[in-house]
């Protein structure tokens, strides 16, 4: 990658680890199949339509690829791929968050004192 | 009162027109003029002028004058605007003017003379306009003499011209006139035929023949990377960020990227999309609920909503056999 000399940021061309990559794949699949899943679920979670139709819908949704369900997505830390201790607002694990906050690189974040 | 008077006079004018067509003589005109002359003072000036114009319009239609149609915008300009255009002052106009003047409460002779003067002025201007305005400008310019200047004065003039653009109105006329002069001298004259007109067709053919190759793209990227200088100050940095999309454009437009041209009724009244479904039964009930939910959804575009409904249509059609078993 040819970068202009003005760009001082760190450029990562790889995902941190394979688990992060798999999570990325799952997110993409979930995005693709989101509409279909929504519609089939609308047929399933219904008291108006006949039950046979709902059973068929059940089978259909089970037949979709496994990675397309949003339940399998794990909100990992963006920088370290840590699966636990991740704050949703910053998408960072607690350790990374602390590191940046102490170096005053998090805007609006201050050490609590009261 | 005005309405009553205008109604009978308008009734009389179609009759007058019919009579004119039958007779083809000047007597109905005389009758009209008499009517105009007899019209009382209480009628407002504007109404009178309109009636006069209506009568004269009909006169025009019958007599097939060359004059172009009247301009109605000139009516509010004043009492003295009689907007008929003929070449020399028509005797009819004169008669009409006299009739109008006679009906005025004020000094009849004075009004008549004023009306006639206005007519003459009007015809002068219309004649000028017919001949064309550009010729007049050219005459004006040709009358102006070209001054011989020394190079020092040229420099002063040019700087003066640049500085004068900001300033006073009185001095601005001169530089503009001189520039017009130079413009005229460029276009006038015979063609020397030194340069042949380069044909642009082969260039187009070359471009369309080969789509940009990977090497071209890479080269373009390299050039862009080399020429992209680091920002000299904060403003340039912000410009770069805005181009990349990191910084939003101010004032913030909440609907950037969201170009929903559909009206609100297309979002809410979605029943017309329900035509493919059976009219009774649980499916219809279900789809009506779907539509109710979609109509309340502000986040989807109309296209997406229609696609949603169509998906359901396809799905139910596939399951038709199953449904018929039930």
């Amino acid at each position: 990658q040819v970068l202009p000399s003005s760009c001082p940021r760190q450029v990562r061309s790889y995902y941190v680890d394979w688990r992060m990559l798999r999570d990325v794949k799952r997110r993409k699949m979930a995005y693709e199949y989101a509409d279909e899943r929504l519609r089939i679920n609308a047929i399933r979670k219904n008291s108006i339509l006949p039950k046979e139709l709902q059973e068929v819908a059940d089978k259909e949704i089970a037949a979709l690829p496994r990675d397309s369900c949003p339940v399998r997505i794990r909100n990992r830390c963006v920088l370290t791929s840590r699966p636990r201790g991740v704050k949703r607002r910053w998408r960072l694990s607690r350790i990374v968050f602390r590191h940046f906050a102490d170096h005053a690189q998090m805007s609006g974040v201050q050490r609590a004192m009261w | 009162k005005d309405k009553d008077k205008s109604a009978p006079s308008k009734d009389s004018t179609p009759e007058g027109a019919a009579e004119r067509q039958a007779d083809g003589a000047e007597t109905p005109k005389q009758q009209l003029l008499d009517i105009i002359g007899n019209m009382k003072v209480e009628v407002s000036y504007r109404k009178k002028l309109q009636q006069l114009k209506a009568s004269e319009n009909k006169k025009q239609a019958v007599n097939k004058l060359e004059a172009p149609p009247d301009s109605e915008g000139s009516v509010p300009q004043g009492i003295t605007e009689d907007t008929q255009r003929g070449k020399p002052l028509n005797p009819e106009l004169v008669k009409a003017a006299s009739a109008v003047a006679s009906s005025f409460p004020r000094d009849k002779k004075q009004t008549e003379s004023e009306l006639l003067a206005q007519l003459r002025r009007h015809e002068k201007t219309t004649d000028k306009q017919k001949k064309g305005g550009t010729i007049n400008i050219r005459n004006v310019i040709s009358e102006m003499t070209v001054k011989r200047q020394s190079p020092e004065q040229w420099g002063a003039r040019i700087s003066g011209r640049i500085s004068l653009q900001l300033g006073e109105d009185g001095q601005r006329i001169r530089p503009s006139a001189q520039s017009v002069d130079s413009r005229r001298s460029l276009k006038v004259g015979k063609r020397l035929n030194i340069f042949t007109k380069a044909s642009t067709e082969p260039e187009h053919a070359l471009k369309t023949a080969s789509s940009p190759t990977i090497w071209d793209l890479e080269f373009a990227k390299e050039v862009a990377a080399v020429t992209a200088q680091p920002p000299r100050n904060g403003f340039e940095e912000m410009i770069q960020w805005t181009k990349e999309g990191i910084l939003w454009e101010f004032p913030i437009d909440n609907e950037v990227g969201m170009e929903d041209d559909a009206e609100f009724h297309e979002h809410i009244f979605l029943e017309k999309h329900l035509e493919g479904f059976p009219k009774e039964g649980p499916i219809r009930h279900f789809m009506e609920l779907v539509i109710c939910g979609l109509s309340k959804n502000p986040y989807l575009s109309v296209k997406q909503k229609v696609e949603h409904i169509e998906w359901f249509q396809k799905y139910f059609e596939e399951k038709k056999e199953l449904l018929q078993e039930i």
Side-chain angles (χ1 to χ4, degrees):
Chain A
Q1 241 186 11
V2 179
L3 287 171
S5 54
S6 60
C7 173
R9 287 184 285 262
Q10 213 180 17
V11 177
R12 290 144 191 273
S13 30
Y14 304 100
Y15 288 112
V16 179
D17 55 8
W18 288 93
R19 279 172 285 179
M20 190 187 238
L21 192 116
R22 278 180 281 161
D23 196 55
V24 167
K25 281 190 209 169
R26 280 180 206 127
R27 280 169 196 261
K28 283 185 190 167
M29 293 267 304
Y31 180 78
E32 279 173 30
Y33 285 87
D35 291 336
E36 259 191 66
R37 285 192 99 94
L38 174 76
R39 288 155 190 171
I40 297 174
N41 267 329
I43 294 171
R44 284 171 68 218
K45 313 282 178 180
N46 218 329
S47 52
I48 307 163
L49 295 173
K51 283 186 187 175
E52 291 84 356
L53 194 66
Q54 285 172 3
E55 282 166 22
V56 169
D58 280 340
K59 286 177 201 167
E60 273 195 15
I61 204 169
L64 287 177
R66 211 163 253 197
D67 273 352
S68 64
C69 61
V71 188
R72 289 186 121 220
I73 295 170
R74 181 82 198 184
N75 291 326
R76 287 176 165 269
C77 168
V78 166
L79 293 179
T80 52
S81 179
R82 198 162 194 276
R84 297 194 174 95
V86 179
K87 270 308 198 180
R88 212 174 199 177
R89 185 172 166 181
W90 296 276
R91 301 179 185 175
L92 292 175
S93 87
R94 54 181 178 81
I95 306 158
V96 179
F97 175 81
R98 229 176 86 98
H99 177 268
F100 283 134
D102 286 341
H103 287 72
Q105 283 164 5
M106 295 292 271
S107 172
V109 174
Q110 200 189 21
R111 273 190 164 261
M113 186 165 34
W114 73 96
Chain B
K1 265 190 200 170
D2 295 345
K3 286 179 189 173
D4 291 336
K5 271 180 188 141
S6 63
S9 62
K10 275 177 187 167
D11 287 337
S12 63
T13 44
E15 289 167 23
E19 280 181 25
R20 247 175 275 138
Q21 281 167 5
D23 294 332
E26 278 207 347
T27 45
K29 268 184 247 162
Q30 284 289 325
Q31 287 177 2
L32 258 174
L33 286 170
D34 293 338
I35 292 162
I36 292 166
N38 289 336
M39 280 199 298
K40 288 179 190 176
V41 173
E42 287 142 359
V43 181
S44 67
Y45 298 143
R46 200 178 266 202
K47 277 278 177 186
K48 212 184 289 174
L49 274 164
Q50 281 175 0
Q51 288 161 9
L52 210 134
K53 263 209 293 176
S55 64
E56 287 180 340
N57 278 336
K58 290 190 182 171
K59 264 197 244 171
Q60 274 186 359
V62 169
N63 297 328
K64 294 176 189 171
L65 278 175
E66 292 169 1
D70 286 344
S71 61
E72 293 184 356
S74 58
V75 174
Q77 269 183 24
I79 318 166
T80 52
E81 277 274 58
D82 215 359
T83 60
Q84 192 142 27
R85 297 178 191 187
K87 293 241 168 112
L89 266 186
N90 279 333
E92 296 167 357
L93 282 177
V94 174
K95 274 189 206 170
S98 60
V100 168
S102 64
S103 56
F104 275 23
R106 296 179 195 162
D107 210 12
K108 293 178 188 177
K109 284 182 188 173
Q110 203 187 7
T111 48
E112 203 185 323
S113 61
E114 278 176 15
L115 276 170
L116 292 170
Q118 267 287 324
L119 278 169
R120 273 183 223 121
R121 259 180 271 157
H122 210 79
E123 278 165 24
K124 243 192 183 180
T125 51
T126 52
D127 284 341
K128 270 191 192 173
Q129 280 175 3
K130 278 184 193 172
K131 282 170 196 168
T134 48
I135 302 169
N136 296 334
I137 295 170
R138 278 187 198 162
N139 291 334
V140 166
I141 291 166
S142 62
E143 282 165 22
M144 288 163 25
T145 55
V146 179
K147 285 186 190 174
R148 298 281 157 176
Q149 292 169 358
S150 60
E152 302 144 352
Q153 282 182 349
W154 282 344
R157 285 276 168 168
I158 289 161
S159 61
R161 214 179 287 171
I162 295 162
S163 64
L164 278 166
Q165 275 169 11
L166 303 164
E168 311 113 41
D169 281 356
Q171 280 187 322
R172 220 192 273 162
I173 302 164
R174 250 189 171 181
S176 63
Q178 283 179 354
S179 63
V180 168
D181 215 355
S182 62
R183 246 185 276 152
R184 185 175 163 237
S185 61
L186 278 171
K187 288 184 184 174
V188 163
K190 283 185 193 171
R191 281 197 149 222
L192 293 168
N193 290 328
I194 297 170
F195 304 105
T196 52
K197 208 179 179 184
S199 55
T200 51
E201 281 178 29
E203 289 176 22
H204 283 296
L206 277 170
K207 277 181 188 173
T208 51
S210 61
S211 60
T213 61
I214 301 169
W215 305 115
D216 291 340
L217 291 168
E218 284 296 316
F219 182 65
K221 274 189 203 170
E222 266 192 62
V223 165
V226 166
T227 53
Q229 298 299 322
R232 292 176 296 181
N233 51 30
F235 289 117
E236 293 200 0
E237 199 183 29
M238 288 211 278
I239 291 167
Q240 209 175 355
W241 284 346
T242 313
K243 281 182 195 168
E244 286 172 39
I246 299 168
L247 198 64
W248 288 344
E249 285 179 7
F250 293 96
I252 290 177
D253 184 16
N254 274 325
E255 293 173 3
V256 165
M258 203 175 83
E259 286 172 20
D260 208 10
D261 302 323
E263 301 282 315
F264 75 97
H265 58 86
E266 286 173 52
H267 276 96
I268 294 171
F269 302 114
L270 297 160
E271 277 171 347
K272 56 182 174 183
H273 301 294
L274 273 190
E275 281 163 17
F277 294 94
K279 289 202 178 180
E280 287 173 352
I283 294 179
R284 182 79 182 191
H285 189 29
F286 172 72
M287 287 315 294
E288 277 174 9
L289 286 175
V290 166
I291 275 171
C292 179
L294 281 178
S295 67
K296 294 183 190 177
N297 190 337
Y299 302 108
L300 295 178
S301 67
V302 176
K303 249 191 181 180
Q304 286 170 322
K305 292 183 184 176
V306 170
E307 272 172 25
H308 198 90
I309 296 168
E310 278 171 11
W311 185 93
F312 274 113
Q313 200 169 19
K314 256 197 279 177
Y315 184 81
F316 287 126
E317 273 180 29
E318 282 168 23
K319 310 291 166 184
K320 248 188 182 178
E321 303 143 5
L322 189 80
L323 292 169
Q324 273 154 11
E325 283 172 33
I326 306 161

